[in-house]
Amino acid sequence: MTGWKKLNDMTYLGKSYTRVDGPDKVTGRAKYTYDLKFPGMLYGRILRSPHPHAKIISIDASRVVNMPGVKAVLTDIKDEVFFVGDDVAAVAAETEEIANEALLRFKVEYQVLPFTVREEQAMLDDAPKVFSNRDNNIGSTQDRTEGDVEKGFQEADVVVEQTYHINVQVHNPLEVHGCIVKWQDDELYMWDSTQAVHGERSAMARHFKIPENKVHVISHHMGGGFGSKLGMKSFHIICANLAKKAAVPVKLMLDREEQFLAVGNRPSSIQKIKIGAKKDGTLTAFQLDSFGTAGIGGGAGVPQPYIYQFPNYKVNHKDVFINAGAGAPMRAPGHPQANFAMESIMDELAEKLGMDPLELRIKNDPNKTRQQEYLIGAKQFGWDKRLKSGSQKGKIVKGMGLGSGRWSGGGNRETKANVNIYPDGAVDVKIGTQDIGTGARTIVAAVVAEELELDLKDVLPLIGKSDYPWAPASGGSTTTPSISPTVKLAAEKAKNSLIVRVADEWKVTPDQVIYSKKTFTSKDGAQSLSWQEACELLRAPISEMEKWNEGLSDSGTAGCQFVEVEVDKETGHVKVTRMIGVHDCGLVVNMLTTKNQIQGGMIGEIGYVTMENRLLDADTGIMPNADMENYKIPGALEMPDFNITMFDESERGVIGVGEPPAIPGVGAIANAIANAIGAHFYETPITPDKVLMAIQGKEGKS
Amino acid sequence: MGDSNQKSGMSRRNFIKGLGGGIAGATAIAAKTGKAAQEGPHGAMVVGAGPVKISLLINSKKHELTVDPRTTLLDALRNDLDYTGTKRVCNKGQCGACTVILNGKTILACSMLALDADGASVETIEGLAQGNKLHPLQEAFVKHDAMQCGFCTPGFIMSCVSLLRENNQPTLDEIKNGVAGNLCRCGTYPNIFKAVEDAATTIKKGG
């Protein structure tokens, strides 16, 4: 095994090149799960609960089963529903129109049960219980301690104590969740908009008690997931059961409203924080009491104390159940919530200490990479021009803020890839990863092209099938560090096999054959073959499989972002005007797609902090804004200017970068708004009403 | 006051005419389905739910098809035909992913009945490239990586085609306004802006 070539010696890695499926995506040729149809295929729909908590007493489907065009009906899905939008029944029909009409004809008798959709209320002793078999609504808890927190606060000259309320965000991939299931004898084929073809295969096999090698999951193109498509969900099972019953393929795509209710969200987080520091800014203690909800699911914990070094800390967390759809991992689970609270309280501490916020961070951040990134970012951004908070007069005021992030990621050692070289010179690579929009298909081809010294167009990347060698789910920034080393090693092995074949032909030992730039030459210079000629020596294709190995990838990223905003003090409107990101991910496999992905993460932060909010009505449990107009995500008019710098650590090998850019700007945006108006924020999203209240509150105090 | 009423584009006379159009439309549907409009349970006029024959000129190719009267133009394109480049994302006119050009104007195909597009000329993403030669906007979207998952891409490109037809040298603000009705969740907007600027230059040069 050889390592990566030097950065300057590489044709593709570390450089920018356009994605191989770009032309398919811009012409409409790229077929997503949503776009596929099969002969005789039916359309499935799920009847969803209008109640946040109820027992299903009976389902009368008599007016559904006799409907012309209806081919399969499921009424035995469950007997209790736990949130508005939970599965009740399902139907498959010849057209979507018929399936939709069929949903109106079910007659369901419910026994409505008490419910709760407020995490504060859910924690009370007399709160309605989400799950009747549990003593209360508290899920998993965390208790972490280091040092002596009481002593830490005694040593502090300044103590700040605040509580932060962070709202629920919904993933909203543009292609909604959905799949097509086709049973062929006892084998299951599933075309799925998924982040994990292999994970779905295992889960479906387990659920239906069939061998894993009789389940085939396919995802050629998929329209985004952001963590919400990492595993099997109830609609997959429903679709497969409908298809089994109807004995024809069934396509079940959720609609946008179902996406908001039933397939995942980023959990809320309420964090009561106490932080202490000495006069010179040295942090002494951190205490957190937090809770949050992932609906009927879990995972609302936060990785506090985030980023900065506290010799003494105490963390206490509770997951709280409410009657809402289960949470799902979303781009850097837990980190944006931790970042918002930590960066907010750090700025408030800096203000009390009379210290520059950047100086306070540099003083307490143990990460060497980020120490350098702060300086690069601050210089590019013009941090020295930051004005004292709330010092500007007039209607429009500007503000600046900064924030930091970290993520681990790293490669999965079980990853496998197969590289084939054919007698006609063709090359392909098979790996059961999937491209969720990050450009995975392109880097798979580029890494092989780099190793075999071929052009990108000469390598066919075959991904998105569970029948291909195992690769992990596309999540947690693990994809690139898993697949790049594996594919490189398989390509290297295939290249060596071809060298052996050429050596045989020349009756020399393989070490006498030199390969460079599509040409094989003997060390003595007497013999030479082109790539094409060498491949023609093969009687059968070379097919080499390799497994991931150490040494070509790493885990752990830093990263920081600087944000400038303009706030209209009369309307409370916030405009993010500039965002600067300084990030690292080791050896950048494709500079073009990497910077695009980072920029995308930063745009997501604008939505999270200033717009997006999953509302739940306390009286009915209904989400009143379950559409793309009332739940607002960032659009073209909200775009600031971006500047992204990749901090070069290419010697570390490949590291993922999906999560890191979705973190630092969260607190940075909040702090920039606070800097503009001179008042801090304790609740997200920071919408105009909250900005106006903060301004009023400040004026009320003065 | 009189002036502002005129500008609103909806005078009382036009409003009444609009209602008339609804009745005329029902009659037209009845003619197509061969079923007479009849009084529904709440007094509204209901036309039989039978299939309706329509014709669409899609990317200069004529298609005759029979659609359920409830079928939107989007679903007719995607399900009844196979123009799946036009995407369904919100299905209620909030995201722009189903943008197509109908008789020269961009519309949201999810918000129009296929029946109402009968006889119309529809341009979709599939009709932009000339054989293997991509449209300058398609070229520029690839070059500037103005996509990630690509699900919003066709809708964006169709909005941009229309924008550049109306204004071949748009400023950055005009580009932002031109795609303000299209949403991208991966966050590729800045690359889209660059692609449109680049394509505008190419088109101006005659590329």
Side-chain angles (χ1 to χ4, degrees):
Chain A
M1 171 186 136
T2 56
W4 299 108
K5 287 181 267 184
K6 285 206 181 80
L7 198 54
N8 287 337
D9 296 338
M10 289 202 266
T11 308
Y12 294 106
L13 272 59
K15 314 277 193 309
S16 283
Y17 43 95
T18 58
R19 58 183 78 212
V20 293
D21 44 11
D24 287 340
K25 288 182 174 180
V26 299
T27 53
R29 285 197 304 259
K31 290 275 185 189
Y32 297 74
T33 300
Y34 214 145
D35 302 331
L36 299 173
K37 51 183 172 192
F38 297 96
M41 185 183 86
L42 304 174
Y43 294 85
R45 293 286 287 148
I46 297 173
L47 179 71
R48 294 189 176 276
S49 170
H51 303 294
H53 195 187
K55 280 235 157 56
I56 299 172
I57 304 299
S58 66
I59 301 176
D60 175 0
S62 58
R63 293 186 61 236
V64 182
V65 288
N66 295 325
M67 241 180 108
V70 167
K71 299 291 178 190
V73 178
L74 295 180
T75 54
D76 56 351
I77 297 172
K78 49 166 56 176
D79 51 21
E80 186 172 354
V81 287
F82 295 95
F83 61 94
V84 172
D86 204 350
D87 312 319
V88 174
V91 61
E94 281 169 358
T95 68
E96 268 191 293
E97 288 84 358
I98 296 170
N100 279 325
E101 193 180 327
L103 294 186
L104 306 173
R105 298 192 179 197
F106 281 100
K107 218 173 131 193
V108 185
E109 194 190 331
Y110 295 99
Q111 180 198 341
V112 176
L113 299 171
F115 71 95
T116 174
V117 292
R118 292 280 181 271
E119 45 276 62
E120 292 86 347
Q121 186 211 5
M123 289 168 78
L124 302 175
D125 289 339
D126 59 348
K129 279 199 282 181
V130 173
F131 300 111
S132 54
N133 59 351
R134 296 184 70 102
D135 294 339
N136 54 39
N137 293 322
I138 307 299
S140 68
T141 58
Q142 282 180 37
D143 269 303
R144 288 181 280 118
T145 308
E146 190 163 305
D148 181 343
V149 78
E150 296 308 325
K151 188 173 140 266
F153 282 117
Q154 278 162 19
E155 285 165 13
D157 297 314
V158 178
V159 171
V160 184
E161 204 170 348
Q162 292 295 359
T163 301
Y164 298 90
H165 291 252
I166 299 146
N167 56 301
V168 170
Q169 184 182 24
V170 185
H171 302 72
N172 267 303
L174 280 213
E175 182 183 31
V176 285
H177 303 61
C179 62
I180 303 171
V181 174
K182 179 183 161 191
W183 289 91
Q184 198 161 300
D185 302 323
D186 59 346
E187 300 205 22
L188 185 154
Y189 290 81
M190 181 163 83
W191 289 262
D192 189 16
S193 182
T194 181
Q195 294 177 242
V197 289
H198 279 279
E200 301 278 21
R201 178 186 67 182
S202 303
M204 292 296 275
R206 263 198 309 277
H207 182 84
F208 286 98
K209 298 188 173 60
I210 46 177
E212 282 209 41
N213 53 10
K214 293 200 170 185
V215 178
H216 313 273
V217 180
I218 303 133
S219 182
H220 282 304
H221 292 281
M222 66 86 81
F226 312 104
S228 66
K229 295 178 181 169
L230 282 168
M232 185 182 78
K233 296 190 193 281
S234 62
F235 72 82
H236 292 107
I237 298 167
I238 290 171
C239 185
N241 279 325
L242 286 170
K244 200 163 206 176
K245 222 166 171 178
V248 284
V250 172
K251 179 176 184 176
L252 198 165
M253 301 303 297
L254 305 192
D255 66 18
R256 185 55 49 184
E257 188 183 6
E258 293 174 287
Q259 186 278 147
F260 275 104
L261 302 178
V263 284
N265 51 70
R266 188 195 287 285
S268 70
S269 181
I270 293 89
Q271 300 173 47
K272 184 172 180 243
I273 298 181
K274 189 176 167 189
I275 183 177
K278 289 187 177 161
K279 267 189 204 131
D280 68 353
T282 306
L283 300 172
T284 61
F286 176 93
Q287 190 171 336
L288 170 78
D289 288 291
S290 75
F291 60 95
T293 188
I296 58 167
V302 283
Q304 295 283 30
Y306 202 56
I307 301 289
Y308 309 108
Q309 202 160 31
F310 292 84
N312 310 292
Y313 68 78
K314 201 172 167 204
V315 169
N316 174 276
H317 170 80
K318 290 184 182 74
D319 268 12
V320 183
F321 296 117
I322 63 165
N323 291 100
M330 180 167 185
R331 240 177 151 169
H335 287 234
Q337 293 97 318
N339 170 283
F340 176 81
M342 179 59 89
E343 301 294 7
S344 295
I345 203 159
M346 283 289 277
D347 260 32
E348 214 165 315
L349 175 68
E351 216 169 87
K352 286 211 165 152
L353 291 165
M355 231 174 135
D356 181 276
L358 175 61
E359 199 191 323
L360 180 64
R361 284 163 175 83
I362 287 174
K363 191 168 183 82
N364 292 289
D365 188 339
N367 184 282
K368 285 190 177 118
T369 299
R370 213 163 27 241
Q371 286 287 347
Q372 297 178 72
E373 291 173 341
Y374 284 134
L375 302 179
I376 295 167
K379 195 172 170 203
Q380 276 181 5
F381 183 75
W383 181 258
D384 55 340
K385 293 182 187 68
R386 181 179 180 273
L387 301 172
K388 190 171 168 289
S389 287
S391 63
Q392 294 163 75
K393 298 266 176 281
K395 176 171 154 26
I396 307 285
V397 288
K398 286 193 175 204
M400 292 181 177
L402 87 144
S404 314
R406 63 170 167 82
W407 188 256
S408 48
N412 186 310
R413 57 182 58 249
E414 292 300 329
T415 314
K416 293 163 199 77
N418 166 224
V419 169
N420 299 289
I421 302 174
Y422 295 83
D424 66 353
V427 174
D428 64 37
V429 46
K430 290 175 180 155
I431 180 165
T433 185
Q434 47 281 311
D435 195 332
I436 64 170
T438 57
R441 179 178 274 112
T442 305
I443 64 164
V444 163
V447 170
V448 175
E450 190 72 62
E451 187 62 30
L452 300 183
E453 300 181 54
L454 299 172
D455 293 334
L456 189 52
K457 64 173 170 47
D458 296 333
V459 180
L460 179 65
L462 296 168
I463 66 165
K465 280 191 181 179
S466 63
D467 290 346
Y468 295 153
W470 192 91
S474 297
S477 303
T478 60
T479 305
T480 308
S482 296
I483 64 177
S484 308
T486 312
V487 162
K488 186 216 181 279
L489 294 173
E492 190 181 338
K493 196 170 173 188
K495 182 175 74 178
N496 289 338
S497 294
L498 188 53
I499 286 173
V500 167
R501 180 67 192 90
V502 170
D504 276 358
E505 186 69 16
W506 290 343
K507 298 186 171 51
V508 297
T509 52
D511 63 342
Q512 296 300 302
V513 180
I514 301 160
Y515 175 70
S516 174
K517 291 177 183 137
K518 298 188 195 179
T519 309
F520 296 83
T521 43
S522 59
K523 242 180 190 165
D524 58 12
Q527 313 234 45
S528 164
L529 284 173
S530 68
W531 172 267
Q532 187 73 27
E533 290 164 338
C535 291
E536 281 168 10
L537 299 174
L538 299 171
R539 282 182 212 96
I542 289 170
S543 183
E544 299 293 2
M545 184 82 114
E546 264 295 4
K547 205 173 163 183
W548 185 92
N549 209 338
E550 311 264 3
L552 297 165
S553 61
D554 203 354
S555 75
T557 60
C560 64
Q561 292 172 15
F562 292 77
V563 177
E564 180 191 75
V565 300
E566 276 178 15
V567 180
D568 184 325
K569 282 166 76 180
E570 284 176 11
T571 64
H573 180 78
V574 172
K575 181 160 176 51
V576 179
T577 48
R578 268 197 308 142
M579 288 185 93
I580 282 188
V582 188
H583 284 275
D584 54 281
C585 59
L587 171 61
V588 177
V589 183
N590 184 349
M591 195 58 87
L592 182 66
T593 51
T594 298
K595 284 196 172 179
N596 189 357
Q597 198 177 358
I598 289 175
Q599 196 167 261
M602 293 163 81
I603 290 168
E605 294 167 337
I606 298 174
Y608 188 43
V609 185
T610 68
M611 302 167 192
E612 299 179 37
N613 199 3
R614 195 273 311 266
L615 302 171
L616 288 177
D617 179 52
D619 293 333
T620 60
I622 287 171
M623 176 180 178
N625 62 333
D627 64 53
M628 295 180 99
E629 188 164 351
N630 296 297
Y631 179 102
K632 190 168 158 43
I633 67 169
L637 296 177
E638 280 96 30
M639 287 305 106
D641 291 331
F642 287 95
N643 194 335
I644 291 147
T645 300
M646 296 312 297
F647 183 74
D648 181 25
E649 291 184 341
S650 45
E651 69 285 352
R652 295 179 61 196
V654 176
I655 311 174
V657 79
E659 335 288 320
I663 308 163
V666 171
I669 294 168
N671 283 340
I673 304 169
N675 174 236
I677 66 165
H680 295 277
F681 291 90
Y682 307 102
E683 195 181 333
T684 65
I686 306 173
T687 42
D689 53 322
K690 297 199 187 89
V691 175
L692 290 178
M693 291 221 311
I695 293 170
Q696 256 178 18
K698 188 188 125 206
E699 283 168 359
K701 273 182 214 159
S702 59
Chain B
M1 276 302 281
D3 260 346
S4 65
N5 257 348
Q6 291 264 311
K7 275 179 195 154
S8 76
M10 182 58 92
S11 68
R12 207 172 73 90
R13 199 159 60 95
N14 281 340
F15 179 67
I16 292 166
K17 257 168 81 181
L19 284 177
I23 294 163
T27 315
I29 296 167
K32 280 182 183 137
T33 56
K35 290 179 185 171
Q38 50 195 336
E39 200 171 319
H42 305 294
M45 294 305 278
V46 174
V47 174
V52 182
K53 271 193 184 148
I54 61 166
S55 86
L56 295 169
L57 191 67
I58 304 169
N59 304 324
S60 306
K61 192 179 164 200
K62 196 174 174 184
H63 292 269
E64 306 273 353
L65 62 157
T66 305
V67 295
D68 191 319
R70 296 169 282 195
T71 303
T72 61
L73 174 60
L74 173 63
D75 292 348
L77 287 170
R78 292 177 51 81
N79 296 345
D80 294 282
L81 303 167
D82 199 24
Y83 292 97
T84 55
T86 308
K87 301 301 183 200
R88 186 155 106 181
V89 169
C90 72
N91 212 24
K92 43 167 90 170
Q94 299 171 337
C95 75
C98 63
T99 303
V100 296
I101 301 177
L102 183 114
N103 295 336
K105 292 263 181 213
T106 52
I107 60 131
L108 301 172
C110 74
S111 301
M112 179 182 225
L113 289 174
L115 279 178
D116 289 335
D118 185 19
S121 161
V122 183
E123 293 170 72
T124 73
I125 191 74
E126 288 90 349
L128 276 189
Q130 304 288 322
N132 281 333
K133 186 163 169 42
L134 297 179
H135 182 281
L137 269 166
Q138 292 173 316
E139 287 274 9
F141 266 64
V142 174
K143 181 179 155 193
H144 294 281
D145 205 36
M147 73 196 88
Q148 281 179 39
C149 79
F151 213 71
C152 68
T153 309
F156 267 96
I157 293 179
M158 295 315 287
S159 290
C160 295
V161 166
S162 183
L163 168 72
L164 293 187
R165 278 183 194 164
E166 286 166 25
N167 174 2
N168 65 8
Q169 286 299 293
T171 62
L172 180 58
D173 280 342
E174 285 168 341
I175 294 170
K176 287 182 179 180
N177 274 302
V179 297
N182 293 76
L183 292 173
C184 165
R185 187 53 156 169
C186 300
T188 63
Y189 299 105
N191 294 15
I192 292 169
F193 305 154
K194 279 185 228 159
V196 179
E197 283 172 342
D198 195 356
T201 310
T202 310
I203 291 168
K204 199 183 173 194
K205 283 185 197 151

